[in-house]
Amino acid sequence: MRTRRPAVRERVVRALGALRLPRRYGEGPLHLLLMLASFALTGYAGVRLLAGGQWPLVLAWFAGAALLHDLVLLPLYALADRAVVRWTAGSGAHHTRTAYVRVPAALSGLLLLVWFPLIVGSAGGGSAAHYEATTRLPGGVFLTRWLLVTAGLCALSALWLPVRTVQRRLRGAPRRRSETKQRSASGV
């Protein structure tokens, strides 16, 4: 019986060693489980989306969305980001302040991109009526709600910036490397 116990232990240790995914996979087992679940959900949604016989429209929508993003939206928000960076460049902490403009703008833009037909439809288009007929929920509220969410995100970001600034000053946060280099280069 003693000879059998080490063999069982060795098998258990080997099995547990095989569960150590970071060496082979790069992440833990929970990450792998979540990734597999998201792929399963995406596959299910894809099958349901393409099962309606409207797959040519879906493919055209995906191609149009990729072209719209790459040729129109990307240059627009890159220009807007550069304008924000130039506008805040005079201050010493422009990188942190720029993030407080980028995050609400990106979230608001994402919401606009996802709900665009219904937001525009709220102003009098047919998308809201189709949405109401399909879901039995009001469709004319999307423009107002998107504007309220955008205002809320901007207000939250505007309130969070002074809180973080005060926290850094109270903690006596060390200077950033770029600020130290600038001071040493100028001889101060």
Side-chain angles (χ1 to χ4, degrees), residues 121-138:
S122 297
S127 296
H130 178 70
Y131 179 79
E132 286 179 16
T134 305
T135 64
R136 311 254 190 257
L137 296 172

Side-chain angles (χ1 to χ4, degrees), residues 61-110:
W61 185 84
F62 273 117
L67 288 173
L68 176 71
H69 176 266
D70 291 349
L71 298 177
V72 177
L73 296 177
L74 181 66
L76 282 177
Y77 61 72
L79 283 172
D81 186 59
R82 291 209 180 201
V84 169
V85 168
R86 281 192 184 135
W87 182 57
T88 60
S91 63
H94 75 279
H95 290 293
T96 50
R97 290 189 184 146
T98 304
Y100 288 94
V101 175
R102 282 179 181 162
V103 171
L107 291 175
S108 177
L110 181 64

Side-chain angles (χ1 to χ4, degrees), residues 1-133:
M1 201 154 212
R2 281 189 163 207
T3 58
R4 185 174 190 145
R5 210 166 224 200
V8 171
R9 277 190 185 166
E10 286 178 18
R11 288 183 190 159
V12 170
V13 168
R14 267 190 263 145
L16 289 175
L19 288 178
R20 291 185 184 152
L21 293 175
R23 274 189 263 154
R24 293 186 182 148
Y25 174 63
E27 294 291 334
L30 180 62
H31 184 269
L32 178 63
L33 181 66
L34 289 174
M35 290 301 294
L36 291 174
S38 72
F39 286 138
L41 181 64
T42 303
Y44 171 75
V47 167
R48 296 279 302 188
L49 184 67
L50 297 175
Q54 305 255 343
W55 63 269
L57 292 175
V58 173
L59 291 178
W61 185 84
F62 273 117
L67 288 173
L68 176 71
H69 176 266
D70 291 349
L71 298 177
V72 177
L73 296 177
L74 181 66
L76 282 177
Y77 61 72
L79 283 172
D81 186 59
R82 291 209 180 201
V84 169
V85 168
R86 281 192 184 135
W87 182 57
T88 60
S91 63
H94 75 279
H95 290 293
T96 50
R97 290 189 184 146
T98 304
Y100 288 94
V101 175
R102 282 179 181 162
V103 171
L107 291 175
S108 177
L110 181 64
L111 289 174
L112 177 64
L113 189 64
V114 170
W115 298 106
F116 183 74
L118 291 170
I119 290 170
V120 172
S122 297
S127 296
H130 178 70
Y131 179 79
E132 286 179 16

